[in-house]
Amino acid sequence: MKTSTVAELLSKDIKLHDIEVKGWVRTFRANRFIALNDGSTIHNIQCVVDFEKTEEATLKRITTGAAVHIKGELVESQGKGQQVEIQVKSIVILGDSDPETYPIQPKKHSFEFLRENAHLRTRTSTFSAVMRLRSSLSFAIHKYFNENGFYYMHTPIVTGSDAEGAGEMFRVSTLDSKNPPLNEDGSVNYKEDFFGKETNLTVSGQLEAETYAMSLGKVYTFGPTFRAENSNTSRHLAEFWMIEPEVAFMDLAGNMDLAEDFLKSILNYVLEHNKDDLEFLEARLLDEEKVKPQADRSEMSLIEKLKFVADNHFKRVSYTEAIDILKNSKPNKKKKFKYIIEEWGADLQSEHERFLVEKHFKCPVILFDYPANIKAFYMRLNEDGKTVRAMDILFPGIGEMVGGSQREERLEVLREKMKALDIDEDELWWYLDLRKYGTAVHSGFGLGFERLVMFVTGMGNIRDVIPYPRTPQNAEF
Amino acid sequence: MKTSTVAELLSKDIKLHDIEVKGWVRTFRANRFIALNDGSTIHNIQCVVDFEKTEEATLKRITTGAAVHIKGELVESQGKGQQVEIQVKSIVILGDSDPETYPIQPKKHSFEFLRENAHLRTRTSTFSAVMRLRSSLSFAIHKYFNENGFYYMHTPIVTGSDAEGAGEMFRVSTLDSKNPPLNEDGSVNYKEDFFGKETNLTVSGQLEAETYAMSLGKVYTFGPTFRAENSNTSRHLAEFWMIEPEVAFMDLAGNMDLAEDFLKSILNYVLEHNKDDLEFLEARLLDEEKVKPQADRSEMSLIEKLKFVADNHFKRVSYTEAIDILKNSKPNKKKKFKYIIEEWGADLQSEHERFLVEKHFKCPVILFDYPANIKAFYMRLNEDGKTVRAMDILFPGIGEMVGGSQREERLEVLREKMKALDIDEDELWWYLDLRKYGTAVHSGFGLGFERLVMFVTGMGNIRDVIPYPRTPQNAEF
């Protein structure tokens, strides 16, 4: 007989009567009711054991976390809370779970405790829902780009370039760490290293993605990126996944259209495909927020928030307009902002972004045309000579979700910018080549995947939306 | 007017008459015919310029590699070789390409030369076809797993464990490379490193994938993996992408079924979706092989080979049977093998695998039940005490495509194995936990993605199937 998954058994179109299922015991109560889960759905299936016909020794081994193989009949449930249940005919314990030592007890655990047991935390409803959503979002992203004529590109993880400028980097080396070979001047001789030069973990695949956009037209990356910054916060990881589309012949307006359509599309995908998990996480969040003062609770429920973003037009506002709004805002005048906005040119902080999104516009906002000197070297200079065609998309509750720009396609302007910032042309000769041979307007953006997963799942700590988080002083598992 | 892609313009259901298109000039001949490509398809669209109505200065700038914006009429082609063509009404040069210096001339370049210009090589038909196929295969993989109830899992790239044992590793560090902090005994004090311990780039996500299989049921990874081996061959990369599914309650037979179904499914996907690119690469391969002696040419064309694998049952042969076949084979008896098979226990070399697949069985072969001592510690020991439930899938022309196993689910057996191999239990405490709490039969396999891309594209060097290859002494771009 084919083994069924719990999701199959609970689906409405199930026709089976005699069934087999394998999974893990979540709870066992009254020596009779097993709540069984196999990861295929947030829901458990109730398996009713006839304790009179089951050996005492077996009953004792039906404990939380045990792996079991059940054969039985799928019947309409007599009890409340489920449509169907399994009348168990035979149960085999595949793997025991000592209730005295098993870390995942049938009770509420703190997220801190579960992080220390990250290898077992997907055995809880919360983390299984989060990781199913993470998977579903990944697929939605690939599906969106595939359907829209984009090619998926694997940009390199180990990079010999440190010109990306997005942050501190991790060195990758096979040299003897204690006694590295030295040059005559006493510096480390990286020519003897594996790659024949100093190499680091990438902070972004954008520059390489541009090379492919300028030949294949529309490409995207979806891969790991790294920051060696000592930021021990609930919003930073040393290793995280990023999505970076890059499109030839597309200007900044097209870039905004793409980002908005893309985000709405993937939100609609999970709203359609992950209803059960979202409902569970919505209830969890509601429960979590109950202890907060009313003012700190979310105005919308999790699903309402996702629908709100999916259904509403993103408000497009220039940086200059935003500065005006912020300068004249109550919290600025009353000096409630930590960083008071005094003049054009100020770098916006999270508090300002959240004010714009949550208080002023009350919808997702796309800010564009930022001052050149607070943005990266590769962004297209506007005709005003002081702003660049950059955009950031700000989401309620989370702030910046996407950062992108039209890229500087003019060789001489790019060269001047690099010179001013002391970026070595020899290092980016290939990037300059794109401007020498068949250059054209092109644009792209970056989306931090974990930020998106946090937004969709309502989880408050970025360590809880990636299987094995890498943070300062932590590379366990 | 909406800009169309070349693929759209060449598709049969195109209804447009007045069109706009942007792309790069591949060739311009007789001052009249532009072959235009934008990456959306292997095919160029012919754009016919009326040179009498076009300024001389503009005509001169229509050079190979230039980016152009063309408006015109889509009409039935008068010439041979295409159904439709564009009668150009206006042409704007977006980006020039100096024919004197542009590296990608309209002629045949060596792959070595193109590797040095990897940022431009997707402007050739061969590399654009390869990279479109790479993208298509990636999507087919995600699609297959998504449709079959698997969750995509991002396993960590930076790992604190060196117990995976699959090869030499790259160290990841932020310590001062010249003067690292030392312990009293003179060793490097990794406690002061970013992660508080020595960390490396992962060689496999399998062990972490097992943790998720044992809670979510069916998972897979698709991410970069690393080997710091000084192998400068056409089949090795220091950085490559790997796919690793892992399934709870699945034994080795199920693992074989899964791998076979999976491989066939993704081959069928590209046969259906990438016909044009495959036909181009098939012709390229045929052309390349023309200079070879008849005996060294492929027996099947590229597409025939893909169909052959997609349509034929994979032959399942135990290691023990394979050794018998090899021992009695002609090349073994005549000592044509470099490594003569003398007895049971020998590790099979590529020459043996290819003999089995290409000469003996003439079909894909799954070898299983290998001697325990030539396989990894985590593989399930058979009842005979000397073989493990390992499998390798061997493909014609390429050898090992997939390696997998049923995992050792018994705590005590695993512990003994680790002890014998001097693997520290403290390092893999979480891996052992899976055997302590609700253990069950489970299995999985690994597929080197670049091997698959080589097989599908017919490319002979692994450096030519990944955008920016990382190899000893090379981390350019």
Side-chain angles (χ1 to χ4, degrees):
Chain A
M1 198 188 312
K2 190 187 157 289
T3 305
S4 301
T5 64
V6 173
E8 285 164 354
L9 297 178
L10 294 178
S11 77
K12 281 186 186 120
D13 42 348
I14 183 88
K15 295 275 190 302
L16 291 173
H17 186 62
D18 290 317
I19 61 91
E20 270 190 53
V21 64
K22 292 173 181 173
W24 294 272
V25 174
R26 282 284 171 89
T27 57
F28 183 45
R29 64 185 172 82
N31 232 8
R32 195 169 160 80
F33 302 106
I34 299 173
L36 189 78
N37 192 284
D38 65 357
S40 63
T41 158
I42 189 82
H43 301 297
N44 304 323
I45 192 160
Q46 176 159 289
C47 306
V48 185
V49 180
D50 186 342
F51 58 85
E52 290 184 345
K53 289 188 186 158
T54 310
E55 279 182 42
E56 187 64 26
T58 302
L59 287 173
K60 278 194 180 150
R61 292 172 65 198
I62 305 176
T63 56
T64 296
V68 297
H69 180 183
I70 282 172
K71 295 182 192 180
E73 281 179 48
L74 189 70
V75 298
E76 272 184 57
S77 179
Q78 307 302 311
K80 278 180 191 168
Q82 64 268 329
Q83 295 275 318
V84 294
E85 64 186 22
I86 297 169
Q87 295 287 352
V88 177
K89 284 184 179 167
S90 89
I91 179 164
V92 174
I93 311 292
L94 301 172
D96 291 284
S97 175
D98 181 353
E100 298 296 317
T101 61
Y102 185 50
I104 311 295
Q105 297 290 324
K107 62 160 196 168
K108 210 179 167 102
H109 292 285
S110 75
F111 287 163
E112 290 75 14
F113 173 81
L114 290 172
R115 257 169 245 150
E116 287 162 16
N117 289 281
H119 62 308
L120 300 175
R121 66 179 173 170
T122 39
R123 298 183 180 196
T124 68
S125 295
T126 298
F127 284 93
S128 71
V130 168
M131 295 307 164
R132 274 191 297 268
L133 271 160
R134 186 179 167 105
S135 171
S136 198
L137 284 165
S138 298
F139 186 70
I141 289 164
H142 286 299
K143 183 167 177 282
Y144 177 87
F145 286 125
N146 185 64
E147 285 173 356
N148 286 280
F150 284 72
Y151 304 114
Y152 181 31
M153 174 192 184
H154 294 113
T155 47
I157 311 302
V158 175
T159 174
S161 156
D162 62 359
E164 293 159 358
E168 293 296 307
M169 298 175 96
F170 289 101
R171 193 175 56 253
V172 173
S173 176
T174 58
L175 291 180
D176 184 331
S177 58
K178 204 180 134 192
N179 296 307
L182 300 179
N183 293 311
E184 281 183 14
D185 67 358
S187 61
V188 173
N189 182 6
Y190 286 108
K191 287 207 176 114
E192 288 192 26
D193 207 347
F194 188 92
F195 294 108
K197 60 171 160 179
E198 190 172 357
T199 50
N200 295 291
L201 291 178
T202 185
V203 296
S204 161
Q206 177 201 314
L207 305 192
E208 288 90 354
E210 285 186 51
T211 67
Y212 269 39
M214 295 309 280
S215 49
L216 298 176
K218 300 202 266 185
V219 300
Y220 72 106
T221 73
F222 189 166
T225 50
F226 305 84
R227 297 280 188 287
E229 272 142 32
N230 198 8
S231 303
N232 236 326
T233 82
S234 62
R235 294 159 60 90
H236 289 89
L237 289 170
E239 172 183 317
F240 58 99
W241 287 67
M242 192 141 71
I243 295 105
E244 298 179 283
E246 191 72 33
V247 182
F249 311 119
M250 184 176 78
D251 62 12
L252 189 65
N255 206 15
M256 295 187 211
D257 292 343
L258 173 66
E260 183 170 345
D261 186 56
F262 163 69
L263 286 166
K264 288 175 171 176
S265 163
I266 54 181
L267 293 181
N268 279 321
Y269 182 91
V270 293
L271 283 166
E272 186 184 339
H273 290 85
N274 295 74
K275 202 165 163 289
D276 291 357
D277 287 325
L278 286 172
E279 281 171 358
F280 176 86
L281 291 170
E282 175 168 85
R284 187 205 71 80
L285 193 61
L286 215 62
D287 198 49
E288 185 184 86
E289 292 196 336
K290 267 185 193 153
V291 298
K292 291 186 184 175
Q294 187 71 43
D296 292 353
R297 295 183 202 168
S298 310
E299 283 180 29
M300 286 183 244
S301 80
L302 182 64
I303 294 174
E304 280 170 355
K305 188 185 69 176
L306 302 183
K307 283 187 177 159
F308 180 78
V309 172
D311 294 343
N312 279 280
H313 186 64
F314 294 8
K315 178 78 184 167
R316 300 182 188 192
V317 185
S318 76
Y319 167 87
T320 303
E321 288 172 78
I323 286 290
D324 282 345
I325 293 166
L326 288 167
K327 259 167 76 178
N328 296 316
S329 70
K330 258 193 198 167
N332 203 57
K333 287 180 173 169
K334 295 193 170 177
K335 304 203 185 296
K336 298 269 181 185
F337 283 146
K338 196 173 161 203
Y339 297 89
I340 303 302
I341 298 290
E342 294 186 339
E343 57 188 3
W344 193 94
D347 206 353
L348 300 187
Q349 305 297 322
S350 180
E351 57 181 345
H352 309 127
E353 296 175 345
R354 294 190 62 170
F355 173 81
L356 291 169
V357 171
E358 291 163 31
K359 305 292 174 191
H360 189 84
F361 291 109
K362 295 178 189 288
C363 72
V365 170
I366 311 184
L367 291 186
F368 62 92
D369 284 353
Y370 280 81
N373 59 356
I374 60 169
K375 288 290 183 182
F377 76 95
Y378 48 72
M379 296 187 178
R380 176 58 153 85
L381 195 65
N382 275 312
E383 305 313 318
D384 63 14
K386 62 177 191 171
T387 61
V388 286
R389 289 191 190 152
M391 66 155 184
D392 283 351
I393 303 188
L394 313 177
F395 265 30
I398 206 133
E400 185 188 326
M401 178 63 80
V402 156
S405 70
Q406 187 174 317
R407 317 308 187 186
E408 184 54 74
E409 86 281 14
R410 297 164 300 180
L411 181 62
E412 285 317 314
V413 182
L414 186 61
R415 270 188 166 146
E416 275 170 40
K417 197 71 162 287
M418 285 169 64
K419 204 171 169 185
L421 294 170
D422 216 18
I423 299 171
D424 191 357
E425 282 202 17
D426 289 346
E427 197 150 301
L428 290 183
W429 64 274
W430 49 275
Y431 190 67
L432 290 167
D433 264 8
L434 302 181
R435 279 74 184 170
K436 283 183 196 160
Y437 305 115
T439 192
V441 164
H442 62 289
S443 304
F445 62 83
L447 168 72
F449 185 53
E450 282 73 22
R451 283 274 175 92
L452 178 70
V453 184
M454 286 176 80
F455 181 74
V456 168
T457 59
M459 299 296 280
N461 192 316
I462 200 165
R463 293 171 170 89
D464 295 333
V465 299
I466 189 167
Y468 296 104
R470 267 55 182 130
T471 53
Q473 300 297 310
N474 179 31
E476 191 66 58
F477 306 105
Chain B
M1 198 189 313
K2 191 188 157 287
T3 305
S4 301
T5 65
V6 173
E8 285 165 354
L9 297 177
L10 295 178
S11 77
K12 281 186 185 121
D13 42 350
I14 183 90
K15 293 276 189 302
L16 292 172
H17 185 62
D18 291 316
I19 62 91
E20 271 189 53
V21 65
K22 292 173 181 173
W24 292 272
V25 176
R26 282 285 171 88
T27 57
F28 183 44
R29 65 184 171 80
N31 231 9
R32 198 171 158 80
F33 301 106
I34 299 172
L36 190 77
N37 192 285
D38 65 356
S40 63
T41 158
I42 188 82
H43 301 296
N44 304 324
I45 192 159
Q46 176 159 290
C47 306
V48 186
V49 179
D50 185 341
F51 58 85
E52 291 183 343
K53 290 186 185 160
T54 310
E55 279 183 43
E56 187 63 25
T58 302
L59 287 172
K60 276 193 180 152
R61 292 171 66 198
I62 305 175
T63 56
T64 296
V68 297
H69 180 182
I70 283 172
K71 295 181 190 180
E73 281 179 47
L74 189 71
V75 298
E76 273 186 56
S77 178
Q78 307 300 313
K80 279 179 191 169
Q82 64 268 329
Q83 295 274 319
V84 294
E85 64 187 20
I86 296 169
Q87 296 287 352
V88 177
K89 285 184 176 168
S90 89
I91 178 165
V92 175
I93 312 293
L94 302 172
D96 291 285
S97 175
D98 181 353
E100 298 297 315
T101 60
Y102 185 50
I104 311 296
Q105 298 290 323
K107 63 159 197 170
K108 210 179 167 103
H109 292 284
S110 75
F111 288 163
E112 290 76 15
F113 173 82
L114 290 173
R115 256 168 246 150
E116 288 163 15
N117 290 281
H119 62 309
L120 300 174
R121 66 179 173 170
T122 38
R123 297 182 181 197
T124 68
S125 295
T126 298
F127 284 93
S128 71
V130 168
M131 294 308 165
R132 274 190 297 269
L133 272 160
R134 185 179 167 106
S135 171
S136 198
L137 284 164
S138 298
F139 186 70
I141 289 164
H142 286 299
K143 183 167 177 282
Y144 177 87
F145 286 125
N146 185 63
E147 285 172 356
N148 286 280
F150 284 72
Y151 304 114
Y152 181 30
M153 175 192 182
H154 294 113
T155 47
I157 311 301
V158 175
T159 174
S161 155
D162 63 358
E164 293 158 358
E168 292 295 308
M169 298 174 97
F170 289 102
R171 193 174 57 253
V172 173
S173 176
T174 57
L175 291 180
D176 183 331
S177 58
K178 207 181 132 190
N179 295 306
L182 300 179
N183 293 311
E184 281 183 15
D185 68 358
S187 60
V188 173
N189 181 7
Y190 286 109
K191 287 206 177 114
E192 289 193 25
D193 208 348
F194 188 92
F195 294 109
K197 61 172 160 179
E198 189 171 358
T199 51
N200 295 290
L201 291 177
T202 185
V203 296
S204 160
Q206 177 202 314
L207 306 192
E208 287 92 354
E210 285 186 51
T211 66
Y212 269 40
M214 296 308 280
S215 49
L216 297 176
K218 300 202 265 186
V219 300
Y220 71 106
T221 73
F222 188 165
T225 49
F226 304 84
R227 297 281 187 285
E229 271 141 32
N230 198 10
S231 304
N232 236 325
T233 83
S234 62
R235 293 159 59 91
H236 290 88
L237 289 171
E239 173 183 316
F240 57 98
W241 287 67
M242 192 140 74
I243 295 105
E244 297 178 284
E246 191 72 32
V247 182
F249 311 119
M250 185 176 77
D251 63 12
L252 190 65
N255 206 15
M256 294 186 210
D257 292 343
L258 173 66
E260 182 170 345
D261 186 56
F262 164 70
L263 287 166
K264 287 175 171 176
S265 164
I266 55 180
L267 293 180
N268 279 322
Y269 182 91
V270 293
L271 283 166
E272 185 184 339
H273 290 84
N274 297 74
K275 202 164 162 286
D276 291 358
D277 287 326
L278 286 172
E279 281 171 358
F280 175 86
L281 291 169
E282 174 167 87
R284 188 205 71 79
L285 193 61
L286 214 63
D287 198 50
E288 184 184 86
E289 291 195 336
K290 268 186 192 153
V291 298
K292 290 186 184 175
Q294 187 71 44
D296 291 354
R297 296 183 201 169
S298 308
E299 283 181 30
M300 287 184 244
S301 79
L302 183 64
I303 294 174
E304 280 170 356
K305 188 185 70 177
L306 301 184
K307 283 186 177 158
F308 180 79
V309 172
D311 294 342
N312 278 280
H313 187 63
F314 294 7
K315 179 79 184 166
R316 300 180 187 193
V317 186
S318 77
Y319 166 89
T320 304
E321 288 173 77
I323 285 289
D324 282 345
I325 292 166
L326 288 166
K327 261 166 75 177
N328 296 316
S329 70
K330 259 193 199 166
N332 204 55
K333 286 180 174 170
K334 294 195 172 175
K335 304 203 188 295
K336 298 269 180 187
F337 283 143
K338 196 172 162 202
Y339 298 90
I340 304 302
I341 298 289
E342 294 187 340
E343 59 187 4
W344 193 95
D347 204 352
L348 300 187
Q349 305 296 322
S350 179
E351 57 181 345
H352 308 128
E353 296 176 344
R354 294 190 60 169
F355 173 82
L356 290 169
V357 172
E358 291 161 32
K359 305 292 173 192
H360 189 83
F361 290 109
K362 295 179 190 289
C363 72
V365 170
I366 311 184
L367 292 186
F368 63 92
D369 284 351
Y370 280 81
N373 59 356
I374 60 169
K375 289 288 184 184
F377 76 94
Y378 49 71
M379 296 186 178
R380 175 57 153 85
L381 194 65
N382 275 311
E383 306 313 317
D384 63 15
K386 61 177 191 170
T387 60
V388 286
R389 288 190 191 154
M391 66 155 184
D392 282 351
I393 302 188
L394 313 176
F395 266 30
I398 206 130
E400 185 188 327
M401 180 62 80
V402 157
S405 70
Q406 187 175 317
R407 318 307 188 187
E408 184 55 74
E409 85 281 13
R410 298 164 298 180
L411 181 63
E412 284 318 314
V413 182
L414 186 61
R415 271 189 165 144
E416 276 169 37
K417 197 69 164 289
M418 285 170 64
K419 203 172 170 185
L421 293 169
D422 216 18
I423 298 171
D424 191 356
E425 281 201 20
D426 290 344
E427 197 149 303
L428 290 183
W429 63 275
W430 49 274
Y431 190 68
L432 289 167
D433 264 8
L434 302 180
R435 281 72 185 170
K436 284 183 195 160
Y437 306 115
T439 192
V441 163
H442 62 288
S443 303
F445 61 83
L447 168 73
F449 185 53
E450 282 72 21
R451 283 273 175 93
L452 177 70
V453 184
M454 286 176 80
F455 180 74
V456 168
T457 59
M459 300 295 281
N461 191 316
I462 200 164
R463 293 172 170 88
D464 295 332
V465 299
I466 189 167
Y468 296 104
R470 267 56 182 128
T471 53
Q473 300 299 307
N474 179 31
E476 191 65 59
F477 306 104

